[in-house]
Amino acid sequence: MLMLIALLVYALIGTAIAILAKKRVSSDEEYFVAGRNVGGIVAALTYAATTYSAFMMVGLVGLTYIYGVGALGFELYYLVGTLLLLSYYAPKIWKLGKERGFVTPGDLIADRYGKNAARILALLVSIALIPYTSIQFVGISFLLGNSMSFEAGVILSAVITALWALLGGFRSVAWTDAVFGIFMLSMALAAVISAFSMNPAPGDFSRLGELLYVPNSFWTPVTFISYTLPWFFFALTNPQVVQRIFVPKDEKSLRRMVVLFGLFGLIYTILVTLFGLQLRLLSEAGEFPNVTNRDLVTPTFLGLIPEWLGVLIALSIFAAAITTANSIVLTLSSMFTRDLLKSRSVLAGRLFVAAITAAVAVFAIQKPSYIVDLAVMSSTILLCQLPLILGVIHFKAGGSLSAGLTLLAGFSTAIALYYTKLTLGIPVSVWVLIVSFAVFFVAAILEKRFKT
Amino acid sequence: MKALEGLIVVLAMSVPFIAIKSADMTTYIYWSLVSAVYLAYIAVSRW
């Protein structure tokens, strides 16, 4: 009952924010990138809330609990990689976007490689991200299992996701992200304090043994690279965050976005992994069940703490999933509208928001087995764009044919190797990068000769 | 220059795999500190 009340309050607050934002929607540029007029703090919080999904308080906590400190290294590798890439590429991409009116990541690609490359990209991105978004709905619906049926949880998630994006577009998504991003961080802190207070010896980490160093029996160098590499390039390959580079109102806001996002990410990552280690210490002390399924570590904890606190932390996980889902849905809608249809209609954008959310919900309810595979592979699949994005900044070679072949070859490599497992002990993500870059450069040479 | 910076960051983050093997919070604190220092560098010196 308390969870339902909390969800109602959450939905009302978010909807009120979305309605406030709605007043300012007047064009597709306004709808999809808030007219490129977002301040640094809101831009940082929407970047953070979009990036950090329910995975943090469920998946990363469980990963730390079961396999130890390597989970912190994996997540911080992502963070420093993002800071490196954003601090170097974001000013260039932001400037290009402002000068040439880019609204979608596909605009960046189309400007250099032609419209067909942007169309292929929109399709590949949707194949990677619709299942990934479905997993967000599946995860939080399981979390709400004591309060409502699985199907009701998915439908509630879908309605909130679509409603806020439909009402005010990017601005309402960004404003709700900002408010609930702060809530996510606060509840992670509350979870850590709660776990510490339950532990009679919270500082006695030495009993965790090999969980405190790398490599250990799980975090071998190959496993670590497999986890880390796709996320290292996340800032350039995931369209929902690339699009956020276009939105700061000036360079000062862009800088503030990058730095404050880094601060948010560092604090959130430290809190979440400290929480996982503390729960493991509790297990070692016999104060917490020995959980073997990593996705059940946080739900088990929520069942042992005061109900009001468990509800608030569960709500923060729900909010983390929604802030990620509605950002992805809005970005996919912009790519379908502008890159596939070549339309500038806000109505078309809104229709795509509704249709994509419905598709995500249908996938989530049916739970076909390949959804999990595609969701796990999403960041690896998206790596196939990297040569194209770096090419915009660094390379003169490469045109429409190179871009199309690169995307298709990288995507096919990811799918084929994931299912056949013929990787020769090398992570799939490494293969995708090798094949994508090789195809890009070979095709670029051939394309140049063919033209001359 | 940026490639060198990237290499230094990756190598610094890889140190626990080579040089730290203690069953305490050394690895945890090291990774947190390297990330914090790099964030501070980005905030102060990059733009």
Side-chain angles (χ1 to χ4, degrees):
Chain A
M1 187 61 189
L2 201 55
M3 187 70 215
L4 291 176
I5 293 169
L7 280 170
L8 183 65
V9 172
Y10 162 80
L12 287 174
I13 291 172
T15 306
I17 294 168
I19 289 170
L20 279 175
K22 181 178 183 290
K23 292 174 184 170
R24 303 176 67 164
V25 174
S26 54
S27 67
D28 72 326
E29 192 176 0
E30 182 66 43
Y31 185 66
F32 290 128
V33 289
R36 298 171 213 285
N37 194 28
V38 178
I41 294 173
V42 172
L45 287 168
T46 185
Y47 197 102
T50 297
T51 299
Y52 293 117
S53 67
F55 167 77
M56 292 295 281
M57 278 297 284
V58 179
L60 191 64
V61 169
L63 202 63
T64 312
Y65 175 93
I66 304 270
Y67 302 120
V69 75
L72 171 79
F74 147 63
E75 195 64 33
L76 288 183
Y77 249 106
Y78 152 72
L79 185 65
V80 296
T82 298
L83 288 173
L84 175 72
L85 295 173
L86 280 183
S87 63
Y88 183 59
Y89 290 105
K92 300 177 195 305
I93 293 174
W94 177 82
K95 198 174 174 188
L96 278 173
K98 193 173 176 65
E99 285 171 358
R100 303 184 192 184
F102 296 162
V103 169
T104 74
D107 288 335
L108 181 72
I109 298 299
D111 186 63
R112 163 66 187 274
Y113 304 100
K115 292 174 182 174
N116 285 336
R119 288 193 178 105
I120 295 169
L121 181 65
L123 291 172
L124 296 190
V125 158
S126 63
I127 291 171
L129 289 181
I130 287 177
Y132 177 77
T133 314
S134 299
I135 293 297
Q136 301 292 322
F137 286 8
V138 170
I140 53 181
S141 300
F142 277 128
L143 200 68
L144 297 174
N146 290 334
S147 305
M148 62 184 71
S149 70
F150 176 80
E151 289 77 11
V154 170
I155 291 167
L156 177 69
S157 309
V159 167
I160 292 175
T161 296
L163 180 64
W164 297 352
L166 282 170
L167 282 172
F170 188 93
R171 195 174 297 277
S172 70
V173 167
W175 288 11
T176 50
D177 281 0
V179 171
F180 294 119
I182 293 168
F183 179 60
M184 286 156 53
L185 204 58
S186 307
M187 287 304 106
L189 179 63
V192 172
I193 292 171
S194 177
F196 264 81
S197 67
M198 289 165 68
N199 199 333
D204 188 14
F205 287 101
S206 60
R207 70 172 73 177
L208 297 183
E210 73 152 13
L211 295 182
L212 292 177
Y213 56 80
V214 289
N216 60 21
S217 53
F218 178 78
W219 291 110
T220 64
V222 171
T223 303
F224 195 80
I225 292 168
S226 303
Y227 270 77
T228 306
L229 194 60
W231 297 96
F232 194 86
F233 296 105
F234 186 94
L236 294 182
T237 57
N238 275 59
Q240 71 275 22
V241 289
V242 174
Q243 193 170 43
R244 274 159 174 72
I245 297 173
F246 299 143
V247 305
K249 62 183 175 188
D250 50 30
E251 285 195 70
K252 189 180 168 191
S253 299
L254 179 70
R255 174 188 174 181
R256 189 171 283 174
M257 177 184 92
V258 174
V259 173
L260 292 181
F261 158 72
L263 189 61
F264 184 110
L266 181 62
I267 294 170
Y268 198 38
T269 303
I270 287 173
L271 287 174
V272 165
T273 49
L274 208 51
F275 178 48
L277 286 179
Q278 201 56 228
L279 291 183
R280 184 58 184 252
L281 266 185
L282 280 168
S283 286
E284 298 295 327
E287 304 282 337
F288 185 74
N290 193 15
V291 185
T292 52
N293 181 341
R294 69 190 196 203
D295 291 334
L296 294 180
V297 175
T298 299
T300 304
F301 172 78
L302 295 181
L304 296 175
I305 57 177
E307 188 186 5
W308 65 270
L309 183 58
V311 163
L312 285 177
I313 294 172
L315 190 65
S316 76
I317 297 169
F318 186 87
I322 296 295
T323 54
T324 298
N326 62 10
S327 301
I328 293 174
V329 165
L330 190 63
T331 298
L332 287 178
S333 162
S334 71
M335 294 179 80
F336 277 40
T337 306
R338 290 180 60 105
D339 302 338
L340 275 180
L341 280 191
K342 295 293 160 199
S343 165
R344 298 290 177 96
S345 161
V346 176
L347 177 62
R350 287 193 160 114
L351 288 173
F352 273 123
V353 165
I356 293 165
T357 310
V360 169
V362 168
F363 268 96
I365 286 174
Q366 292 186 339
K367 288 184 286 183
S369 57
Y370 64 83
I371 280 192
V372 177
D373 293 335
L374 285 173
V376 169
M377 289 166 62
S378 66
S379 285
T380 302
I381 290 173
L382 294 173
L383 281 175
C384 66
Q385 305 165 68
L386 194 60
L388 277 59
I389 294 168
L390 294 182
V392 170
I393 309 291
H394 296 294
F395 316 137
K396 287 185 178 174
S400 175
L401 182 66
S402 314
L405 287 175
T406 301
L407 291 174
L408 293 174
F411 174 78
S412 308
T413 303
I415 300 288
L417 291 183
Y418 187 83
Y419 283 107
T420 63
K421 312 288 183 199
L422 297 171
T423 61
L424 306 175
I426 297 170
V428 176
S429 50
V430 174
W431 280 118
V432 172
L433 284 179
I434 291 170
V435 170
S436 301
F437 275 99
V439 169
F440 181 80
F441 286 119
V442 170
I445 292 167
L446 294 175
E447 201 174 5
K448 192 177 176 183
R449 284 191 183 174
F450 197 63
K451 275 183 183 169
T452 55
Chain B
M1 187 61 192
K2 295 295 178 291
L4 180 64
E5 180 184 322
L7 185 66
I8 291 169
V9 169
V10 168
L11 287 176
M13 290 295 284
S14 302
V15 164
F17 274 90
I18 304 153
I20 303 176
K21 195 92 178 177
S22 51
D24 53 26
M25 291 295 272
T26 307
T27 298
Y28 192 96
I29 292 166
Y30 175 83
W31 266 332
S32 303
L33 275 179
V34 169
S35 304
V37 167
Y38 187 57
L39 174 61
Y41 167 73
I42 294 286
V44 174
S45 303
R46 176 52 57 84
W47 276 278

